[in-house]
């Protein structure tokens, strides 16, 4: 019996309890009536008086050891539970998390900057419908009957004959202004336009344009040049140079493509400007007399210029963005980068 008691003492001393279930197992084994300790007390009942006295003391020591250990386990588990509770309570003295404010979309930010520049030199703002009839989108702008832009591959038609389409440019807004206002006209038309193009890093079927129109007596090509020169210096910096290349549009004569000196390499040559030092930003020209006539403006008395630019293109040049699709993919990592632009 002595040996058995020594064995149990060692077992109790080395016992480890981590959970409430383990504590219950311990209690069943060493504390309860049917425990090994209880069994030993039962065995002692039938022993001699001498042994009873001697072993009684030893068994009582074992019983006390088991109970002390039990109290220790209970207290440890209690502390553990309290610690866990404390950990799950947030630290109320910490400062609160900052509000996650969104950012203005880069396209809208660029649009606002362009509007601001032209408003300061007397241009007002005009807007029009995105679903247009043939007259406002094509015919009034001197598009010949067989012009490729009218064809299915370029234009999203909603109805044919009479043609109703998603506008392919914001020039349609200028037609509406010319119909309703008398010169002098100085207006800027920003907005969304649609063309049936395959989506790639450089093209999209939905994009934004901003077009300008100035009609008055004695408006010359010189005014067009100076206005655009002022604009690019304001937007891209005062050292920006401007270059016109002859081009053709149905609604202007003469027509030009407008380039600016590359704002990234400052004209030295880089992969954005394809090592030419120049990047195209849009088209422009003197309003074709046929366009003035179509809106009942006398081309003998009045002349004017018009220009158009893609807002995506301008934004890509301003922030060195190399893929147009980023604007519409709603990737928060991309949009977050524009938090601080104004
Ligand atoms: Zn460059």
């Amino acid at each position: 019996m002595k040996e058995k008691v020594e064995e149990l003492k060692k077992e109790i001393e080395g016992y480890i309890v981590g959970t409430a279930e383990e504590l219950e197992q311990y209690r069943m084994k060493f504390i309860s009536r049917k425990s090994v300790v209880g069994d030993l007390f039962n065995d002692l009942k039938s022993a001699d008086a001498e042994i009873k006295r001697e072993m009684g003391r030893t068994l009582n020591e074992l019983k006390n050891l088991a109970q002390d250990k039990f109290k220790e386990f209970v207290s440890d588990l209690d502390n553990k539970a309290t610690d866990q509770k404390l950990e799950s309570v947030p630290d109320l003295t910490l400062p609160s998390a900052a509000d996650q404010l969104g950012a203005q979309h880069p396209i809208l930010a660029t649009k606002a900057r362009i509007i601001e520049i032209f408003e300061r030199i007397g241009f007002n703002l005009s807007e029009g419908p995105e679903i247009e009839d043939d007259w406002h989108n094509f015919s009034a702008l001197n598009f010949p009957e067989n012009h490729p832009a009218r064809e299915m591959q370029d234009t999203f038609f909603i109805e044919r004959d009479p043609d109703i389409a998603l506008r392919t440019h914001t020039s349609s807004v200028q037609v509406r202004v010319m119909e309703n206002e008398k010169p002098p006209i100085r207006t800027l038309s920003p907005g969304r336009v649609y063309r049936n193009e395959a989506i790639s890093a450089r093209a999209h079927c939905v994009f934004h344009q901003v077009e300008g129109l100035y009609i008055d007596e004695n408006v010359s090509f010189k005014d067009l040049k100076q206005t655009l020169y002022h604009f690019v210096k304001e937007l891209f910096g005062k050292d920006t140079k401007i270059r016109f290349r002859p081009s053709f549009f149905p609604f202007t004569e003469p027509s030009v493509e407008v380039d600016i000196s590359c704002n990234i390499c400052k004209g030295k040559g880089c992969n954005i400007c394809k090592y030419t030092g120049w990047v195209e930003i849009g088209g422009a020209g003197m309003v074709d007399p046929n366009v003035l006539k179509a809106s009942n403006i006398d081309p003998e008395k009045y002349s004017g210029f018009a220009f158009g630019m893609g807002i995506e293109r301008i934004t890509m040049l301003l922030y060195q963005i190399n893929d147009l699709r980023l604007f519409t993919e709603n990737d928060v990592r991309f949009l977050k980068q524009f938090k601080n632009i104004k």
Side-chain angles (χ1 to χ4, degrees), residues 102-300:
Q104 194 173 26
H105 193 282
I107 294 293
L108 288 181
T110 304
K111 181 176 139 184
R113 277 178 75 181
I114 295 171
I115 290 170
E116 195 200 346
I117 292 167
F118 281 105
E119 274 186 340
R120 280 208 304 269
I121 54 171
F123 280 74
N124 66 13
L125 209 60
S126 50
E127 286 178 322
E130 291 180 17
I131 296 173
E132 269 296 5
D133 53 32
D134 175 87
W135 173 256
H136 291 95
N137 199 74
F138 295 123
S139 295
L141 289 160
N142 202 32
F143 273 80
E145 204 57 54
N146 57 355
H147 192 281
R150 289 174 179 245
E151 293 307 310
M152 269 298 199
Q153 63 263 33
D154 287 315
T155 307
F156 289 115
F157 285 98
I158 290 170
E159 274 175 35
R160 298 306 304 256
D161 207 20
D163 290 349
I164 305 287
L166 295 178
R167 67 181 179 193
T168 57
H169 47 194
T170 48
S171 308
S172 54
V173 182
Q174 300 180 337
V175 175
R176 289 180 178 276
V177 172
M178 285 188 286
E179 281 173 347
N180 294 314
E181 291 174 28
K182 292 279 152 256
I185 291 169
R186 211 182 294 175
T187 191
L188 196 72
S189 328
R192 203 178 287 136
V193 300
Y194 305 83
R195 288 186 200 171
N196 191 1
E197 288 190 39
I199 295 169
S200 72
R202 303 178 66 85
H204 208 289
C205 58
V206 184
F207 56 101
H208 297 77
Q209 269 194 342
V210 55
E211 298 203 14
L213 177 71
Y214 179 27
I215 298 171
D216 202 351
E217 291 177 36
N218 301 317
V219 175
S220 72
F221 200 87
K222 192 171 67 182
D223 300 310
L224 165 62
K225 200 173 169 185
Q226 199 54 39
T227 303
L228 289 180
Y229 190 38
H230 169 77
F231 165 68
V232 300
K233 282 197 295 181
E234 286 287 307
L235 191 66
F236 290 100
K238 62 178 169 43
D239 297 328
T240 311
K241 293 182 184 68
I242 194 166
R243 180 174 85 169
F244 286 170
R245 282 178 290 117
S247 186
F248 172 80
F249 303 111
F251 34 79
T252 47
E253 181 60 38
S255 305
V256 292
E257 305 276 355
V258 184
D259 294 344
I260 58 164
S261 54
C262 179
N263 63 320
I264 292 152
C265 64
K266 306 290 171 208
K268 287 193 193 83
C270 69
N271 62 347
I272 301 287
C273 61
K274 298 199 187 82
Y275 301 94
T276 62
W278 297 94
V279 285
E280 188 190 321
I281 60 161
M286 300 306 291
V287 180
D288 194 291
N290 287 340
V291 173
L292 296 176
K293 266 188 239 162
S295 295
N296 293 321
I297 293 172
D298 182 2
E300 298 300 323

